[in-house]
Amino acid sequence: MHPIPIPNHQRKLPSAKYEAWKMWHEDGLSMDKVANFPARSAPIKEQTVCEYLLEAAKEGFEIDWPRFCDEIGLTRQIFLVIQGAITKVGSTDKLKPIKNELPEDISYMQIKTCLLMQNCGISLEVALPSDPSISKASELENKVTDSSTKTAPLAFTMTQEQEVPPINDDLQLPEKRQKLNTTEGSSVALEATENSILNWLEKLNEGVSLSDILEHFNGSKKESVIDLVASLECDFLIFKKNNLYRLL
C-alpha cells in the first residue's frame, strides 16, 4: 500500500492516519473496509481506524459526524446518558470512573467521541439531529448508577480543552526511560497477562515505561508483552503519555 501524499496544510497528521481519514471521508469506505483494505500488508483493528479519525478531527480535518456516530453506534440518547455520567463524576481526567457510571453496552470509544465533540465545539444538533425517539432518553438515563442524582447538561463548548488519550502507531522504546526501584536478586519470572499488567499498573500512579513493563514481566516473551500492551491500549484500559503507561 503506497503512502498517500499529505497536503502541506495538513502535515500534522501522520501518513497512516491521513490515509485512513482519506479512505473513510473522501472515498466513502466504512471503518471496517478501511481496516481490512486489501492493499494493506496486514489488516488493522476497526477500533484503530476510529481512533485515527478522532485524531484527524482534533487536527482540524473535516468529519461527517452523523455518519461517524452512526458507525460507532453513538445515538443521541446514549450521548445524553454519557453527558450525565460525566457531570456526575465531575472530571474527565480518567475515563474509567465515567465508564463505571454507565451501562456495560456503552463503549469507551463512544465516551471519547462525546468528549472530543464537546472539546471541538460540535453541537448535538449537528452531530446527532433530533428524532422522534428522543423521549426515550430518560429510560437510558435511569441506567446510570444512582440515577436519583439530578445532573445538569454540560456546555458543548468547553473553556478548557481536555486531553483525549490517543492510540499510538507503535510501541517503540523511548530513548530516556524512567527506571523503577526493583528488588535485587529476585528469581521469580513473572508472566504477563492482561489482568497482571492492569493490577500492576494500578499500584503505580506515576506510570511506567515499556522497558519497565518488559523488565517486570520477564517470564514472558518480549513480543507477547508488547502485543498485550498494545491490546490494552486499543481497548482504552491504559494510555501512554510522555512515554509512560497509566491506567485510564
Side-chain angles (χ1 to χ4, degrees), residues 67-188:
R67 177 188 167 203
F68 182 93
C69 292
D70 180 64
E71 286 203 44
I72 67 170
L74 179 59
T75 64
R76 186 183 180 97
Q77 295 94 322
I78 291 176
F79 186 97
L80 293 174
V81 174
I82 294 173
Q83 187 183 55
I86 294 170
T87 303
K88 182 177 180 181
V89 172
S91 170
T92 57
D93 292 339
K94 293 185 177 182
L95 299 183
K96 190 172 183 179
I98 299 172
K99 183 71 169 70
N100 290 341
E101 296 294 328
L102 295 167
E104 291 184 2
D105 56 350
I106 293 181
S107 68
Y108 278 103
M109 181 59 70
Q110 291 169 337
I111 298 171
K112 292 186 70 175
T113 300
C114 179
L115 289 172
L116 183 59
M117 285 169 55
Q118 293 177 359
N119 293 344
C120 293
I122 306 299
S123 73
L124 185 59
E125 290 302 326
V126 169
L128 298 163
S130 300
D131 59 69
S133 62
I134 188 62
S135 60
K136 296 182 180 179
S138 58
E139 297 177 11
L140 281 173
E141 289 173 352
N142 289 333
K143 294 182 180 180
V144 179
T145 305
D146 193 15
S147 60
S148 59
T149 302
K150 301 297 182 180
T151 56
L154 288 180
F156 289 104
T157 302
M158 302 182 74
T159 56
Q160 184 175 3
E161 183 177 354
Q162 303 289 345
E163 181 178 353
V164 179
I167 285 182
N168 299 287
D169 293 332
D170 52 37
L171 289 169
Q172 296 179 350
L173 294 177
E175 295 180 1
K176 296 182 180 179
R177 303 178 177 91
Q178 177 181 346
K179 293 296 183 181
L180 297 177
N181 293 326
T182 57
T183 304
E184 295 184 0
S186 175
S187 59
V188 179

Side-chain angles (χ1 to χ4, degrees), residues 41-62:
S41 57
I44 61 177
K45 291 185 177 182
E46 185 175 342
Q47 198 170 36
T48 301
V49 175
C50 187
E51 186 68 29
Y52 285 175
L53 296 176
L54 290 182
E55 186 69 23
K58 288 175 63 178
E59 295 297 338
F61 284 68
E62 184 179 355

Side-chain angles (χ1 to χ4, degrees), residues 5-21:
I6 303 177
N8 290 331
H9 67 286
Q10 296 175 333
R11 290 289 180 184
K12 289 184 178 180
L13 203 64
S15 176
K17 297 179 181 181
Y18 176 78
E19 289 172 2
W21 172 83

